[in-house]
Amino acid sequence: MDIPGGPGGPAQIDSRREPRVAVSWRALFRLPDGKTMEVRVRDISESGLGLLSENAIPQNVALDLALAVPDLIDASRTITVIGKLRAVYVVINRHDYRIGAVWAELDNASREMIRQHIKRGRYGG
């Protein structure tokens, strides 16, 4: 019997090169039909996000995303980061869908803000 991610098994869905930091953020996707869908952000890395959603999203399609990122100076405030994500996997996880997504588009200022949150999360800085 093959073990997922083991020799002869499929690659692990969580095999990322960059470190991930656990977060509890909110985000909105704009789907191809124009509807919006709220998701919960579970973790971040420089290359993408781990999400939980009540609904699946299409894979390998760049979707507009509005991400509520806590302000680095005043955590009671949020800054909306706009970008595009592409889901690389969507799996059912109990009653929710677990989604792994990579950035398809993200401006440099937003990318730097994400980096600072990752640094803070890893080192408490």
Side-chain angles (χ1 to χ4, degrees):
M1 172 169 80
D2 284 337
I3 298 170
Q12 290 183 14
I13 58 176
D14 283 341
S15 57
R16 296 186 191 175
R17 288 185 293 244
E18 295 98 11
R20 288 178 289 179
V21 173
V23 297
S24 182
W25 297 350
R26 295 174 54 177
L28 284 175
F29 272 113
R30 183 176 322 137
L31 300 172
D33 64 5
K35 293 181 182 175
T36 59
M37 181 176 81
E38 187 171 337
V39 294
R40 294 179 308 275
V41 181
R42 297 173 9 130
D43 61 65
I44 59 172
S45 74
E46 284 194 43
S47 62
L49 304 171
L51 310 162
L52 281 179
S53 173
E54 293 178 1
N55 302 294
I57 64 169
Q59 287 183 249
N60 297 316
V61 174
L63 298 173
D64 293 326
L65 177 83
L67 177 64
V69 178
D71 185 295
L72 287 161
I73 297 168
D74 180 359
S76 68
R77 295 184 46 223
T78 59
I79 297 169
T80 302
V81 168
I82 304 295
K84 288 185 182 278
L85 279 183
R86 181 176 51 83
V88 293
Y89 70 83
V90 179
V91 295
I92 192 78
N93 182 39
R94 296 185 185 154
H95 302 291
D96 287 322
Y97 289 89
R98 190 169 144 207
I99 301 164
V102 294
W103 293 109
E105 288 180 25
L106 186 64
D107 66 64
N108 288 336
S110 297
R111 190 172 301 276
E112 183 57 32
M113 186 184 314
I114 298 287
R115 275 190 198 114
Q116 292 302 316
H117 274 285
I118 292 167
K119 182 179 176 182
R120 239 181 223 187
R122 290 185 68 211
Y123 305 113

